[in-house]
Amino acid sequence: MMGKFDKYWSFNSKTNYLLFVAIVLDPRFKLEYVEFCFGEIYGHDNIVIKSRIASVIECLDELYHEYKRLYTFEQEKFEDLTSNKVFHGMDTDECDKSLDFLDSQFAKRIESQKKTKNASEVAKYLNDELIGKKIEFDLLAWWKGNKTKFSVLSRLAKDVLSIPVSTVSSEQVFSTSGHVIDSFRSSITPKTVEALICAQNWLRSTPIDLRESLGNIESLEEIEEDYRRSVDVPDGIVAASLPY
């Protein structure tokens, strides 16, 4: 148990900081909850707690700047395509009007950048108040609704929060395949293995209703009997003669 605890919570070269980042990206908890948990786990050593918090913030900032770089590149490509469509086939007067429009949009953008020059989306998000703990809360829907305010951070949150928090599901798949492929069935083709594992999963997820199945069998037997009587086919070859 201590080995598992150290794997996820001890700070070393193998520490997965995304576990902490995922908590920070929840507007009900943010950095305050991580700091509280560190205090409970590591004691009330302010130096240690501040060091841990600084590492989490550094990880979040690195992710944000990487996403910002990617997002800016995509935005520039979109603007280039849009500008080519805008000016294609225009006469001089139309181009002048379009240039005036772009100038006004550029002026608005510069003004907006002045206001938020010293405040990244991460800083603005962390400075906002907690929204309060709710019983029913769709985290991804919240980020989708705030993607205008946090255009880059919302993309980061969508990717981070979609990562499974446990490796149990993937490990279970390998465990299942180990039961299918053993020393006596090692020559099974990959296609057959896939079919066996999928069939097992489907049977477990959708249990068979025996009463319903027996009812279907009886209905088929009645259809078979009616068909046999109508065409006067011997009993031995009824199944081969049925239209289905």
Side-chain angles (χ1 to χ4, degrees):
M1 183 60 71
M2 285 304 300
K4 290 291 184 181
F5 180 86
D6 292 337
K7 176 182 177 181
Y8 289 106
W9 295 104
S10 64
F11 279 76
N12 51 49
S13 58
K14 298 182 179 179
T15 299
N16 187 353
Y17 286 95
L18 288 180
L19 287 170
F20 310 114
V21 171
I23 298 173
V24 175
L25 292 174
D26 191 325
R28 297 170 296 177
F29 304 110
K30 295 189 180 180
L31 209 56
E32 288 86 342
Y33 191 76
V34 177
E35 186 175 0
F36 168 77
C37 290
F38 284 168
E40 294 295 316
I41 295 172
Y42 304 111
H44 298 285
D45 189 336
N46 291 331
I47 297 176
V48 174
I49 294 174
K50 287 181 179 179
S51 174
R52 302 291 190 257
I53 291 294
S55 299
V56 174
I57 294 176
E58 182 181 359
C59 177
L60 180 58
D61 283 335
E62 288 179 0
L63 284 171
Y64 170 75
H65 288 301
E66 179 64 19
Y67 271 76
K68 186 177 180 181
R69 183 184 65 80
L70 295 172
Y71 174 73
T72 303
F73 176 73
E74 292 180 1
Q75 187 67 20
E76 289 175 351
K77 286 178 62 178
F78 174 76
E79 289 175 355
D80 289 341
L81 291 172
T82 305
S83 62
N84 289 335
K85 291 180 180 179
V86 168
F87 292 109
H88 182 70
M90 288 185 176
D91 57 27
T92 305
D93 292 337
E94 290 177 334
C95 285
D96 290 340
K97 292 179 180 179
S98 297
L99 287 172
D100 291 338
F101 173 75
L102 290 176
D103 287 340
S104 64
Q105 292 296 107
F106 178 70
K108 290 180 180 179
R109 182 175 181 179
I110 293 298
E111 186 66 26
S112 175
Q113 287 178 347
K114 287 180 181 179
K115 294 179 180 179
T116 59
K117 185 176 181 180
N118 297 321
S120 68
E121 288 185 11
V122 174
K124 288 190 293 184
Y125 168 73
L126 294 178
N127 288 330
D128 286 347
E129 294 184 0
L130 301 178
I131 64 172
K133 194 171 181 180
K134 299 180 180 180
I135 298 177
E136 295 183 1
F137 180 74
D138 191 332
L139 184 53
L140 291 176
W142 186 90
W143 278 107
K144 184 178 181 180
N146 287 271
K147 64 181 180 180
T148 303
K149 184 178 180 181
F150 305 108
S151 58
V152 178
L153 199 59
S154 62
R155 294 189 174 199
L156 190 159
K158 180 183 69 174
D159 291 342
V160 171
L161 296 173
S162 62
I163 299 174
V165 73
S166 173
T167 59
V168 171
S169 298
S170 57
E171 290 175 356
Q172 199 171 30
V173 172
F174 287 102
S175 176
T176 302
S177 62
H179 293 299
V180 174
I181 305 174
D182 54 24
S183 57
F184 300 100
R185 308 171 72 185
S186 58
S187 61
I188 298 178
T189 63
K191 189 174 182 179
T192 303
V193 173
E194 181 181 3
L196 289 171
I197 293 176
C198 289
Q200 182 188 61
N201 180 265
W202 296 335
L203 288 172
R204 288 178 176 176
S205 61
T206 55
I208 299 174
D209 189 333
L210 293 178
R211 290 186 178 181
E212 183 179 352
S213 300
L214 290 174
N216 292 335
I217 292 173
E218 291 176 357
S219 299
L220 290 174
E221 289 177 348
E222 292 177 0
I223 294 173
E224 182 178 330
E225 180 66 20
D226 293 339
Y227 180 78
R228 187 187 65 79
R229 291 175 180 175
S230 64
V231 297
D232 196 20
V233 178
D235 293 340
I237 56 174
V238 171
S241 304
L242 288 173
Y244 54 83

